[in-house]
Structure formats: C-alpha cells, structure tokens
Amino acid sequence: MRHRRVSVLICAAVSAVVMTACGSGGSGQSADGKTELTIATFNEFGYEELFKEYEAAHPDIKITQRKTGQGQPHHQNLFTKLGAGSGLADIEGVEEGYLSQVMAKSGQFNDLNEIGPKIEDGRWLDWKTQAITTKDGKLIGYGTDIGPLAMCYRKDLFEQAGLPSDPEGVKTLFATWDSYFAAGDQFIAKVPGVAWFDSAAQVYNAMHNQLETGYYDTSDKLVVDTNPDIKKNWDTVAAAVSKGQSARLVAFSPEWNTGFKLGKFATKTCPSWMLGVVESQAGAENAGKWAVTDAFPNGGGNWGGSYLTVPKQSKNAQKAAELAAWLTQPEQQIKAFKAKGTFPSQVKALDAPELLEQTNAYFGDVKAGELFATQAKKIKAAQYKGPADGQIQETVFSPALQSIEQGKNAEEAWTAAVDGAKKAAK
Amino acid sequence: MTATLPEVEDRGRANTARPRPPRRHRLSNLDAKVSPYLFVAPFFVLFGAIGLFPLLYTAYVSLFDWEVGDDEPAFIGLENFRTLVADDQFWNALFNTFSIFLLSSAPQVVVAVVIAALLNANLRARTGWRMGVLLPYVASLVALTIIFGNLFGPQYGLVNDVLGLVGIEPIDWQASTFGSHVAIASMVNWRWTGYNALIILAAMQAIPRDVYEAAVVDGASALRQFFSITLPMLKPTLIFVIVTSTIGGLQIFTEPKLFEPAGGSGGGTEHQYQTVVLYLYQSAFQGLDLGYASAIAWVLFLIVIAVAGLNFLITRRAVR
C-alpha cells in the first residue's frame, strides 16, 4: 500500500508545479487596503524619488516599479503581454522608436483625454503630443523626455581641414543637408583617413524624419516607392558614401566605439543623450576635441524620448492616469532631469533655470541644456508613423544603407530596401 | 484463420463466467495495474506539458495568420507553408544554416577524433590536457561570441590585422557570405571540438587492449590500427556525436545573432549569415508574425529529423 501513496504524492507535486506556472497577477489591492499601482520603465526615467514624494502625498497609494535595464526586452515584454491580454503594469513606458507599433495597437490603451485628469493646455511641445495622438483624436500617452538633435563635431579635425571650428562659425556648414555634404567633400579632400560622418544610416534617418511624409501616408498606405523625397535622400546619402564621406561603422557596434577612440569621423548627429555616449566612447584621451553647436541641417529633429501609457488591462486605470499626469508635470520632469539627465518634453521645463544652467565639461563647458532647449523648439511637426514604420527603419533601411557601405550598388540596395519594406508592411 | 484457433489457446477465459473477486483483491488488482502508470506519470506529465504540447500547439498556430495581440486570428490552412516555400529569405537562411553546419561539424568531428587519439597517447600531465580541451566549452557562449565578433571586426579586427601581416587583403567578415560563415563556424568549432573530443576519448578508452595487442602481434602499424580497430569500434559514439552536432548545428542561433554588430536579427545587411532559427526569431519577435514563425519552426523540425536520420544511416554504413 505504501508505494501507491508515494506515487500519488509525486503526481500531486508535479501538478502543483504545473499549476502555479499558470497563476495570475494580483488584483491591484495590497494587503493593507492601499491601491497598488505598478509602473514599468526601462533604462533610467529618474522617477525613484518622485514615487516616494507621491506616496507621501497620497497615503492610499502604493507604487511598485518594474525596471528593465534595456529598452528592447521591455518592449518585447510589452507587446507579448498586450497579446496575452494580461500581465502588464498599470503604467507602461513606451520609447519613441517603438511608437509606431504601439500606435498600431492603440485600441488596447486608454484614451487619457477621457480617463485622465484635466491637463493644462500646452504642457508639452506640440510635436511630442501629436506623435501619440491617434487619427481619431485619442491621446494614449503623456510625454516624458525627448532627444532633440544637434550636431557634434571634432574641432581639431575641422581646423586641420581649414574649416571654421567655433560653434558660431560652423553653423553655416550645418545650415542645410546640401551645405553639410559639400563641407564633407571639402573635409575628406584635406584630411585623409578620416571620414565626415560615422554611418550612412545615422545621417539618413535624421534626414528622413524631417520629411513631411515618411514611409507611410496618413491613410496607412506604404509610399516608400512613390514618395520622391525618400529616393532623393537615399541618393544623396549614397553619393556621399561613394565619395568616401562615411566611416562605414554600424552605430553602437564595438567598431563604432573604436572609431570614436581613433577619431575616424569628424561629425556626428547628436541627440541630447548622445553627449554622454561620445564622452564615454571617445574617452579622456580625446577630451577637448569634441564640440557641439545648436545647429542641425534643415532645422531640427528628434531621436529618442518616451511616453507613459495606461493599458486597458489596468484595473486602476484612473488612478494610474493621475500618477502618470503628475509624473509628467514640468516640475517633476525637471527633478528627473536633475537625477538622471532625461531631457524634458514640457514647454515650461525647457525654460527652467536648472535646465538652462546645465553645462557639459567634456564639450568645452558648453551650455548643453540651453542648446538642446533651442533645438527642441526648432522641430516643426511630428511625421506620421505607420504600423511597421519602426521595423522598416531598423530592419530594412538601415541594413540596406550599410550594404552600400559594404560595397553594394546603390540602385540594387534601393530595390532590396523597397522590397523589404513591402514585406515588413505586409 | 483466427476463427479456427483451437479452444485450448484461450486458456478457458472467454467462456467461463468468473466470480467477482472480493473487494480486497480488486483493490490489489487495481494497485498492480494502475501503480506502474502512476510511477511513470511524472515524466509523461512533464513531457506532455513542456515537450509535446508546445510542439503540437506550434503546429496548430502555424495554420493561422496569427499576429501577437490578435484577438481572433484568421485560419488560413497551409497558406503559411505555401508562403514559406516561395520565400527567398527562407531558402537563403536554409542555405546559410547548411553552409555553417558543414563548415563547423565536418572539420569538428575529424579534428575531435585526432585530438582524442592524441590525448589517448601516453602524455605527461594527461588530465591537464584533457581538462584543457574542455575549457572553451565551460566559457560563456555569449562572452565567447562577443570576443570572436571583435576579432572578426571588418575594420579594426585582430584577424584582419594578422592577415595583413602575411600580405592577405583584409576580408569584410560582415559583408562577405563565405567570410561570415567561416567566422561563425570558427566560433562553433572553438566551443565544441574539445567537448566532442572528450566523448570520443572516453569511447576510445573503452576499446579492449587485447584487440590492439593481437594487431601488434600480427604486425599492424599504428596507422593501420587506428583505421582498422579504433575507428570501427568508435562507430556508436561517432553516430552519437554526429547526430547531436547535426541537431545543434541546424539550430544555430546565438552565434549569428550576436555576430550582428548592432544587435539586430537580420543576420547581416543582406542576410548573409541569417540562419533558419534567426529568421524564425525575427519573424516571431520583430515581425510579430507567430503563425509564420511557427511554420518555420515545423519545417525546421522536419529538416532536422531528416538530416539527423540521413547522417545516422551514412555513418552506420561508412564506418563498419
């Protein structure tokens, strides 16, 4: 008789293991009767101190942060759980690069105009809010930070090439893309072995995002092969590559880092957060060589920045929206800026003295805060992003541009890119 | 024919009505019949939950146009498989997979046998050497791949520097199809050769000494002994090594994934080194097309079974 009992026990144990794997999350009420709000973020949002402040002001709220080190796994988790229908936090951070995919599933997020508190007009830069407003006018996220673009350049190499090198003087070189590439021709003729920019895709993406219409038109029709501006940008960048203006480095790869160390390129498209990247990659041995100026060809641009969204899965959507609205107030975002350097997207925060006084020692004590605030205000409108927009940029156009840098014919690469975009949009 | 079977063979069970056994007997009968199943149940329950179910569910998903987040995926029958057959990128991925597999597994098994033969000889500090060949296997795969990715860097990589010293033009390990396959295969070989060598070594040591002694008496050279005794007697182990490296080789993922400098899943700018599993990953987690990814998974599953079976037959025939 004894052995039978044991086997039953084993079975029970096994089924217990299997069952717990299917257990679901909590109800949003913690044991002490407080409302528990979860917020999922990635990298550094700089909100840790703010949570304590909010909990102190709202004794009935308990905030739990789920922090992911990197953006990629965070968003993978977001999309998987949107698909599964449960498991998301009450507030989910969304990065600008994944925005098109989120907008394609906007039905699964709450309209914050509807459930959120009343928010004063003009809290955010127009283009920031525009990008997360659906076609039928729903606002599915509150803006947190942005990444306004400026131009970083190597002062010493500019001098070597006989180009102006002071922040005011270089502005004429960076006035338009034509003047930018023309200066590139001049530069590579004078300084052998050094390229004008790091990577074709890095330049192309900035050019592309300035277009009025991108890969999609507003009716979600793919216009890659019918929008003449896209081909024009492509040809311009391809021509620059063929002349040797590109250092042919893949951004964020180990070789790209080496390129910074060895000073293999003279300019870099620079969102606000890139200054830290340049400093850590170029290192102390290149101190005093890099500079940044408040000019960017054809105006301005943005790369990066995030939003806070409230998925419909949330059981405390209204309270979550209140918290998100509070976190994205200019006063709060300035505190996050001071904590972790996230550049605020709120109009009032851009004029805050804390921001305007910020300087960057590596870039010759430049007033970085003021400089990027100026750049942020130059951005006119957000380009409409279709459902597969991010995917087309990351997995189709960027690799296709790299293939030109690897020696592929520009026309063939274009055909491959168009086909790839159609496949991605399918 | 069965109808004419003699009555005796029935051992009298069919016709005589049996009296109901008492309750205690019935319980012990039940015990004898059911308990064995309960004993083996844990394995089957676990296998069913995490082995068989995902396998079958993947087949089910592959019949749908199933995007992550779809509430009601549309049933499309075998459409995913039809698309797959016409998909150039899939055939390219299959070619890459086989190319990398051949470049890694084939030299690997040969070198592993040679290393095993060397380790089997009378060496000083034998255990040290044997542990030494296993070291690459102990190292973290991810760390290894990142280091190899640096070594094979197209512009500032060490391999190209060394090639430059002997007057060979630098190779763009990222752009060239063959170059990238060689780079990835070298990672696989670095990691697995020593491991396979140790398995083969163990088998070598199991070969009875007296067979060799008889061969020596008959005047067989060391080489002759190796080909006529060692290799044939290694057959079962070689089959195991070849089948497992086939399965592993055709599912190669981490190496090509991390070889991509910016961390994408395209396997190179023009998919020069995108393998089938990498394409599966890209379809599922970048394209978010679960139905299509499931179709790829099933086709790969069948290919792996077919190739492993083929290798099994070839090895069994070749090494007699």
Side-chain angles (χ1 to χ4, degrees):
Chain A
M1 288 296 274
R2 196 164 160 229
H3 58 267
R4 196 172 43 190
R5 205 170 297 146
V6 172
S7 57
V8 169
L9 267 178
I10 293 173
C11 283
V14 168
S15 56
V17 169
V18 175
M19 297 308 278
T20 45
C22 324
S24 62
S27 64
Q29 286 287 334
S30 69
D32 46 6
K34 285 185 183 177
T35 306
E36 186 179 352
L37 294 177
T38 47
I39 172 166
T41 62
F42 50 93
N43 297 344
E44 297 289 354
F45 272 61
Y47 286 166
E48 281 75 7
E49 291 303 313
L50 294 175
F51 292 150
K52 287 179 199 158
E53 203 180 319
Y54 194 79
E55 281 176 339
H58 301 77
D60 57 326
I61 302 274
K62 182 175 176 292
I63 301 173
T64 311
Q65 186 177 208
R66 294 185 203 158
K67 203 165 160 180
T68 312
Q70 286 184 328
Q72 208 262 344
H74 166 86
H75 290 90
Q76 198 146 310
N77 176 60
L78 171 68
F79 292 120
T80 312
K81 287 182 176 160
L82 273 181
S86 68
L88 285 177
D90 294 306
I91 301 176
E92 287 278 340
V94 169
E95 209 259 343
E96 172 251 345
Y98 297 88
L99 195 55
S100 62
Q101 275 169 288
V102 167
M103 294 303 276
K105 300 186 187 311
S106 58
Q108 303 200 35
F109 293 89
N110 279 301
D111 179 5
L112 297 174
N113 282 333
E114 197 180 298
I115 66 152
K118 176 100 186 71
I119 286 180
E120 69 278 8
D121 283 339
R123 176 187 285 188
W124 292 279
L125 291 159
D126 282 343
W127 57 269
K128 179 78 179 172
T129 315
Q130 212 179 343
I132 198 151
T133 308
T134 63
K135 272 180 280 185
D136 48 358
K138 286 181 188 139
L139 178 77
I140 62 165
Y142 294 138
T144 59
D145 57 327
I146 50 174
L149 282 166
M151 216 22 125
C152 292
Y153 65 98
R154 284 276 301 253
K155 264 187 303 193
D156 58 325
L157 295 174
F158 270 47
E159 276 162 22
Q160 214 177 314
L163 295 171
S165 66
D166 60 295
E168 285 308 310
V170 291
K171 281 185 181 170
T172 52
L173 306 181
F174 301 147
T176 64
W177 289 109
D178 287 340
S179 69
Y180 175 74
F181 289 115
D185 284 336
Q186 249 178 296
F187 178 85
I188 54 169
K190 292 269 177 55
V191 188
V194 180
W196 181 237
F197 52 84
D198 56 336
S199 145
Q202 293 279 298
V203 174
Y204 172 84
N205 288 341
M207 291 169 82
H208 177 81
N209 284 327
Q210 289 176 340
L211 296 180
E212 208 165 300
T213 307
Y215 297 127
Y216 284 89
D217 67 12
T218 46
S219 55
D220 280 341
K221 192 170 150 282
L222 190 72
V223 293
V224 172
D225 48 351
T226 52
N227 181 353
D229 294 338
I230 297 180
K231 184 70 196 322
K232 200 175 138 237
N233 282 347
W234 181 276
D235 289 340
T236 311
V237 175
V241 170
S242 72
K243 286 185 211 156
Q245 289 198 16
S246 167
R248 305 184 291 120
L249 298 162
V250 182
F252 304 104
S253 71
E255 295 228 316
W256 186 70
N257 297 341
T258 312
F260 268 117
K261 276 248 152 56
L262 299 177
K264 287 289 183 186
F265 47 89
T267 65
K268 172 83 206 80
T269 51
C270 253
S272 45
W273 47 268
M274 188 66 84
L275 299 191
V277 178
V278 174
E279 180 174 352
S280 63
Q281 296 308 338
E285 64 263 46
N286 289 310
K289 292 181 182 167
W290 279 97
V292 60
T293 183
D294 55 336
F296 197 78
N298 283 10
N302 178 66
W303 179 12
S306 300
Y307 295 90
L308 296 181
T309 64
V310 181
K312 285 203 171 145
Q313 291 176 17
S314 166
K315 294 195 177 73
N316 296 304
Q318 212 161 341
K319 285 183 175 164
E322 274 166 31
L323 170 61
W326 183 82
L327 285 169
T328 54
Q329 278 174 4
E331 300 80 22
Q332 267 57 260
Q333 203 61 48
I334 277 292
K335 290 176 195 161
F337 169 75
K338 276 164 76 182
K340 296 290 175 191
T342 52
F343 204 84
S345 63
Q346 291 77 357
V347 178
K348 263 194 198 162
L350 293 179
D351 295 328
E354 292 97 323
L355 183 100
L356 297 177
E357 281 160 13
Q358 189 223 27
T359 57
N360 186 309
Y362 193 80
F363 284 79
D365 285 321
V366 65
K367 283 196 157 181
E370 192 183 340
L371 184 149
F372 284 107
T374 316
Q375 289 303 99
K377 289 173 189 163
K378 284 186 192 167
I379 304 169
K380 291 169 207 121
Q383 182 187 77
Y384 177 74
K385 301 279 186 192
D389 222 297
Q391 210 191 332
I392 291 173
Q393 172 167 317
E394 282 305 307
T395 70
V396 180
F397 268 70
S398 295
L401 285 160
Q402 282 159 31
S403 76
I404 300 181
E405 293 175 314
Q406 290 175 344
K408 194 180 167 109
N409 175 293
E411 279 308 310
E412 282 173 31
W414 168 255
T415 316
V418 171
D419 289 347
K422 284 179 180 162
K423 195 175 161 191
K426 186 183 72 75
Chain B
M1 290 296 279
T2 44
T4 62
L5 279 174
E7 192 76 0
V8 213
E9 296 239 333
D10 199 30
R11 291 194 208 109
R13 250 184 225 170
N15 293 340
T16 39
R18 287 191 295 173
R20 261 174 87 83
R23 201 181 136 79
R24 260 192 48 208
H25 280 211
R26 264 186 290 149
L27 266 182
S28 90
N29 268 351
L30 199 69
D31 184 21
K33 276 185 189 153
V34 176
S35 302
Y37 290 105
L38 287 179
F39 284 126
V40 294
F43 167 75
F44 285 97
V45 169
L46 274 184
F47 172 74
I50 63 179
L52 197 61
F53 171 71
L55 198 69
L56 296 178
Y57 194 66
T58 306
Y60 172 73
V61 172
S62 74
L63 303 177
F64 290 83
D65 180 14
W66 195 316
E67 235 192 62
V68 171
D70 272 357
D71 295 331
E72 281 166 18
F75 181 81
I76 52 168
L78 295 175
E79 191 55 42
N80 279 329
F81 292 92
R82 251 175 248 133
T83 318
L84 193 62
V85 173
D87 185 351
D88 291 340
Q89 201 179 340
F90 173 71
W91 292 109
N92 170 61
L94 199 61
F95 163 77
N96 292 341
T97 308
F98 273 96
S99 166
I100 294 172
F101 162 62
L102 287 177
L103 283 172
S104 55
S105 288
Q108 194 183 117
V109 173
V110 175
V111 174
V113 172
V114 173
I115 292 180
L118 290 176
L119 288 176
N120 202 22
N122 251 334
L123 289 174
R124 213 180 272 267
R126 226 174 340 178
T127 316
W129 289 108
R130 285 176 188 172
M131 289 317 294
V133 296
L134 197 63
L135 271 184
Y137 178 72
V138 179
S140 147
L141 176 58
V142 173
L144 188 111
T145 312
I146 290 172
I147 290 171
F148 267 77
N150 273 322
L151 293 180
F152 284 102
Q155 295 195 43
Y156 313 120
L158 187 67
V159 176
N160 271 344
D161 285 352
V162 173
L163 289 182
L165 286 181
V166 292
I168 299 174
E169 283 285 295
I171 297 165
D172 193 332
W173 301 103
Q174 290 288 337
S176 129
T177 303
F178 183 69
S180 62
H181 292 185
V182 169
I184 291 170
S186 67
M187 300 178 204
V188 180
N189 289 335
W190 171 260
R191 185 168 157 82
W192 289 98
T193 308
Y195 173 81
N196 286 331
L198 277 198
I199 293 180
I200 294 170
L201 174 66
M204 272 184 190
Q205 291 181 334
I207 300 173
R209 289 282 122 195
D210 46 353
V211 185
Y212 287 104
E213 278 159 22
V216 172
V217 171
D218 286 347
S221 69
L223 212 60
R224 181 74 203 272
Q225 285 177 33
F226 179 75
F227 282 105
S228 297
I229 299 173
T230 315
L231 268 192
M233 295 196 88
L234 283 180
K235 192 172 81 175
T237 313
L238 284 181
I239 291 177
F240 170 77
V241 166
I242 288 173
V243 169
T244 49
S245 74
T246 305
I247 295 172
L250 293 183
Q251 296 183 358
I252 186 166
F253 170 73
T254 315
E255 289 88 348
K257 168 86 172 109
L258 291 176
F259 191 55
E260 172 115 32
S265 305
T269 53
E270 300 173 85
H271 316 299
Q272 290 96 327
Y273 49 91
Q274 184 174 51
T275 59
V276 176
V277 184
L278 196 52
Y279 187 37
L280 185 164
Y281 179 85
Q282 190 182 31
S283 304
F285 300 112
Q286 237 167 41
L288 303 178
D289 192 347
L290 294 185
Y292 197 57
S294 300
I296 299 177
W298 256 86
V299 171
L300 178 66
F301 177 59
L302 297 178
I303 291 174
V304 169
I305 290 182
V307 176
L310 196 70
N311 275 348
F312 173 73
L313 290 178
I314 293 174
T315 322
R316 203 171 56 172
R317 191 156 303 179
V319 189
R320 276 180 188 274

